[in-house]
Amino acid sequence: AAAMPDAFGLVFSVVAQILMVLEFRENWVVWLIVDAAYVALYWSQDLKFTSLLYVLFTGIALRGWINWRKLESESAGSQVA
């Protein structure tokens, strides 16, 4: 069993969720790390479909981070003008 990697995933998922609720953009980076770790964990446990699901979650986190940065730069640009 992989108790330590699973515990890491749980703790940092809670951290990422709290950061997301508080609207910190850093939540996306934490989600990327957690989801990528889960991809590796589930793949090593021969849970291929669950691993593929977390590949999708990693993509969603990446897209969220890109969108958040885009919105942040647009709002910074509108404040300057």
Side-chain angles (χ1 to χ4, degrees):
M4 289 304 289
D6 198 31
F8 160 84
L10 171 66
V11 169
F12 284 97
S13 292
V14 171
V15 169
Q17 188 67 39
I18 291 168
L19 291 174
M20 188 168 64
V21 168
L22 296 175
E23 296 184 2
F24 284 93
R25 75 166 179 245
E26 292 83 359
N27 83 81
W28 298 110
V29 177
V30 178
W31 279 123
L32 283 169
I33 294 167
V34 170
D35 291 340
Y38 271 131
V39 168
L41 174 65
Y42 290 136
W43 193 268
S44 73
Q45 299 295 317
D46 204 32
L47 298 168
K48 306 301 186 207
F49 289 113
T50 305
S51 183
L52 291 174
L53 176 65
Y54 274 86
V55 168
L56 177 65
F57 290 160
T58 304
I60 291 169
L62 181 61
R63 183 68 179 167
W65 187 35
I66 291 168
N67 285 344
W68 193 290
R69 288 182 55 147
K70 181 180 174 185
L71 288 172
E72 186 177 65
S73 67
E74 288 173 359
S75 69
S78 67
Q79 290 175 357
V80 172

